[in-house]
Amino acid sequence: MSALFGRRLRRGATTTAVAAAAIAALSASQAPGAIPSGPGGAQAAADANPPADSSATGNSPYYTELPPLVTPDKPGTSIDLPALGTGPAEAGIPASVLAAYKQAEQSLAETKPGCNLPWQLLAAIGKVESGQARGGRVDASGTTLAPILGPVLNGNGFANISDTDNGAYDGDSTHDRAVGPMQFIPSTWATWGQDANGDGRKDPNNIYDAALAAGEYLCHANRDLSVDADLRQAILSYNHSQEYLSTVLTWFEYYNKGTHEVPDGTGVLPVGTGPADPVPSSAPTPTPPPSPKPTKPSKPSPDPSTPESGGPESPSTPPGGGSTSPSPNDPGTPAPKPVVKRIEKTDTGTQTAVAGSQFTERASVRAVDSAGKPVADVPVRFEIVGDTDARFTSGKSALTLTTGEDGTATAPPVQAGEQTGEFTIRATVDVKNVAGVEYTASVTARQADGLTRTGDKELTAETGKEFADQISVKATYKGEAASGVAATATMITSAGSSAPRADGPYFKDAAGNPLRELKDLKTDANGALQLPKIYADDTTGTFLLRIETEGGATLTVELKVTAPPAA
């Protein structure tokens, strides 16, 4: 490997040699993980050495360990496909981390369908950047239990990137450091950070936020990741190294062969010292601007030399303080998760909102086991289904949240669009034989309870001529201007009838033909409505124009048509 690569990673000669030999073996055998040559090769080489701070990670270190040469079978091609929770240990991805990758893929399939981002690419990058968030050591919301920081980018063996966040994310007010499970430097996070879990924060230490941000970053510049050249260019933009490209592609191919879900905190960590080592006790704890990080759960009798207390890590301990073979007696080993038996709604009412407003009720479900006890850390997918333009306040129609200690997951509020009618908010979990639940939601039309005319000038016209003044009205609801309210205007036969007249004053349609009833009118943002010009035929007398709005507000206006003066 190149000298630049060796300096950047600070790897021992043994690790580097093994990685190089493995890549060579894969390439020669065309085994899974082989790095094919393709049209992206020239472009990839050209992109290998731009300024470090133009990459997502600032070209920070990453794990060089490669996957086993024997990979799980691709779904549908063999009866030996690993089932949930089974298969090669390296193929296991922690539940919350896997859910975050899949949610990011689904989100970008809606917002950037031309990108064709596969979640396996995010998994490959997450593997080499942080060992899948240190084996899935995250809390119920997907936030890492301890900060994951790369080395200080002070030019000493790494890029020299001065501080851009005043230490808010990385705890360093002099230089930047890569942050979180996807290892964004603060300046890049400032541009690409996302709030994927709907908690109102863009947190690089949250796997849901970080995974979506990584997807957005990879997809920018109108890339189509199903095209080899774009795929390679996207990976190189994340870290400008040909070796990095080879390592990520190898894991990408490996995960494409099949994966399985493992409990959070039990993922296999890469061997050797890497960029995602626990933060030393002397380093400040970063506090992102939006709000403080969740407090890490305490554990009985912590060993001050373990990563949980921020002390130095034993050379034999994998990065992140985990273990590739956890002992059942180890107090740091997560207990087996309770099995989800069902999910249930926490409320049975129908949710309603007026068009253009926000629903006050929120869809919420509780995951319970066979004894009816709550189950935490269960990814729940909320999805808006049906013919509607309503969306969650994040602007998305689907997202995944994780249940808390009380077993509940609550979707963010829904913003009603202008389309009225019913739709469904569906909640599901990816657990066999566990049925989803549905909330019925309804959007009603905007309403007005008051309607007044702007001006009081008498409306008159001679036969065969147009009325000099146009009619303007204002709609209100509970004393406030009612915007977007549907209205009709009809030349009625009498005060006691709503039937349109066949003669008398009229509006004109697009072709200039007489029209005595107007539908599909709407008030503007200030609740105002101005009617088109009105014309008189050869019938004289006093006529009535009735204006009605959704909600029952009514206004009747008199129109007078006189004969022209005698010659």
Side-chain angles (χ1 to χ4, degrees):
M1 297 183 181
S2 68
L4 174 62
F5 179 64
R7 288 199 304 274
R8 184 183 303 129
L9 298 185
R10 298 191 297 181
R11 293 289 182 269
T14 300
T15 303
T16 306
V18 170
I23 292 178
L26 288 170
S27 300
S29 64
Q30 292 301 299
I35 312 304
S37 60
Q43 180 62 48
D47 291 342
N49 296 299
D53 58 357
S54 68
S55 70
T57 66
N59 294 338
S60 291
Y62 56 88
Y63 290 105
T64 58
E65 184 183 21
L66 297 172
L69 291 178
V70 179
T71 62
D73 297 330
K74 191 173 183 179
T77 63
S78 170
I79 60 173
D80 297 326
L81 175 68
L84 180 66
T86 66
E90 284 289 352
I93 298 179
S96 293
V97 179
L98 182 59
Y101 295 153
K102 291 185 176 181
Q103 177 180 315
E105 178 192 60
Q106 293 164 353
S107 176
L108 287 162
E110 296 177 7
T111 60
K112 296 185 177 180
C115 177
N116 297 303
L117 171 79
W119 65 261
Q120 290 88 345
L121 178 59
L122 296 176
I125 292 175
K127 181 68 173 180
V128 302
E129 292 295 349
S130 69
Q132 309 298 17
R134 291 187 190 144
R137 296 175 55 146
V138 297
D139 62 17
S141 66
T143 301
T144 56
L145 298 180
I148 300 178
L149 298 176
V152 177
L153 299 176
N154 57 6
N156 185 18
F158 307 104
N160 189 346
I161 303 179
S162 299
D163 174 66
T164 59
D165 66 330
N166 198 29
Y169 289 114
D170 56 13
D172 191 325
S173 58
T174 304
H175 293 90
D176 272 349
R177 304 173 70 174
V179 182
M182 303 305 280
Q183 289 288 280
F184 279 94
I185 55 174
S187 58
T188 309
W189 183 258
T191 300
W192 298 98
Q194 301 291 318
D195 175 19
N197 63 353
D199 65 356
R201 299 184 301 162
K202 297 179 180 180
D203 184 358
N205 287 302
N206 182 277
I207 185 59
Y208 291 97
D209 294 358
L212 182 58
E216 292 279 359
Y217 183 88
L218 293 166
C219 285
H220 84 280
N222 296 319
R223 294 188 183 115
D224 180 355
L225 301 183
S226 65
V227 177
D228 183 69
D230 283 2
L231 174 66
R232 290 165 175 267
Q233 186 178 2
I235 297 171
L236 283 169
S237 74
Y238 215 89
N239 192 311
H240 302 305
S241 163
Q242 287 295 319
E243 289 81 2
Y244 180 84
L245 171 67
S246 298
T247 306
V248 170
L249 284 176
T250 302
W251 280 105
F252 179 46
E253 290 298 319
Y254 181 76
Y255 287 134
N256 271 324
K257 295 292 183 179
T259 61
H260 60 272
E261 177 185 302
V262 298
D264 288 345
T266 65
V268 175
L269 292 169
V271 176
T273 303
D277 294 332
V279 183
S281 58
S282 61
T285 300
T287 52
S291 64
K293 289 289 181 294
T295 303
K296 180 175 61 181
S298 61
K299 293 184 179 179
S301 303
D303 183 345
S305 66
T306 64
E308 292 300 322
S309 61
E313 187 176 35
S314 168
S316 62
T317 304
S323 171
T324 56
S325 301
S327 168
N329 297 321
D330 181 0
T333 301
K337 285 188 177 181
V339 178
V340 179
K341 186 66 175 180
R342 69 179 185 279
I343 58 173
E344 55 192 20
K345 294 193 289 186
T346 61
D347 184 18
T348 57
T350 298
Q351 302 184 15
T352 60
V354 175
S357 67
Q358 185 173 295
F359 283 78
T360 57
E361 307 91 350
R362 298 168 64 178
S364 178
V365 299
R366 181 185 297 109
V368 297
D369 60 16
S370 57
K373 295 182 179 180
V375 181
D377 300 331
V378 179
V380 180
R381 176 177 170 81
F382 291 94
E383 184 177 10
I384 295 176
V385 181
D387 186 15
T388 180
D389 56 355
R391 293 291 183 269
F392 292 112
T393 49
S394 61
K396 306 183 187 315
S397 61
L399 47 82
T400 300
L401 302 174
T402 305
T403 58
E405 293 300 323
D406 60 354
T408 62
T410 303
V414 173
Q415 178 70 35
E418 296 302 321
Q419 188 173 345
T420 60
E422 289 190 350
F423 62 92
T424 298
I425 303 175
R426 180 180 299 156
T428 56
V429 293
D430 190 16
V431 179
K432 187 176 181 180
N433 297 327
V434 175
V437 298
E438 294 183 345
Y439 279 91
T440 299
S442 178
V443 178
T444 60
R446 297 173 186 253
Q447 298 182 353
D449 55 14
L451 194 61
T452 57
R453 183 184 165 200
T454 304
D456 56 2
K457 187 176 181 181
E458 186 179 52
L459 301 170
T460 62
E462 294 180 7
T463 56
K465 296 185 178 181
E466 66 181 46
F467 284 78
D469 300 296
Q470 289 180 250
I471 299 174
S472 296
V473 297
K474 183 171 183 178
T476 56
Y477 182 71
K478 295 182 179 181
E480 300 292 334
S483 64
V485 178
T488 60
T490 309
M491 303 292 180
I492 56 177
T493 56
S494 65
S497 173
S498 59
R501 295 183 61 92
D503 60 357
Y506 60 91
F507 303 103
K508 287 183 179 181
D509 63 15
N513 300 314
L515 192 64
R516 292 183 172 86
E517 184 175 27
L518 296 179
K519 297 181 179 180
D520 300 325
L521 301 173
K522 276 194 176 182
T523 60
D524 64 16
N526 298 314
L529 172 65
Q530 185 177 62
L531 299 183
K533 289 184 177 181
I534 302 175
Y535 303 86
D537 62 8
D538 57 1
T539 307
T540 60
T542 300
F543 304 89
L544 300 178
L545 170 64
R546 177 171 294 165
I547 305 168
E548 296 178 285
T549 67
E550 188 75 36
T554 303
L555 176 67
T556 302
V557 181
E558 285 190 351
L559 302 171
K560 294 183 178 180
V561 179
T562 60

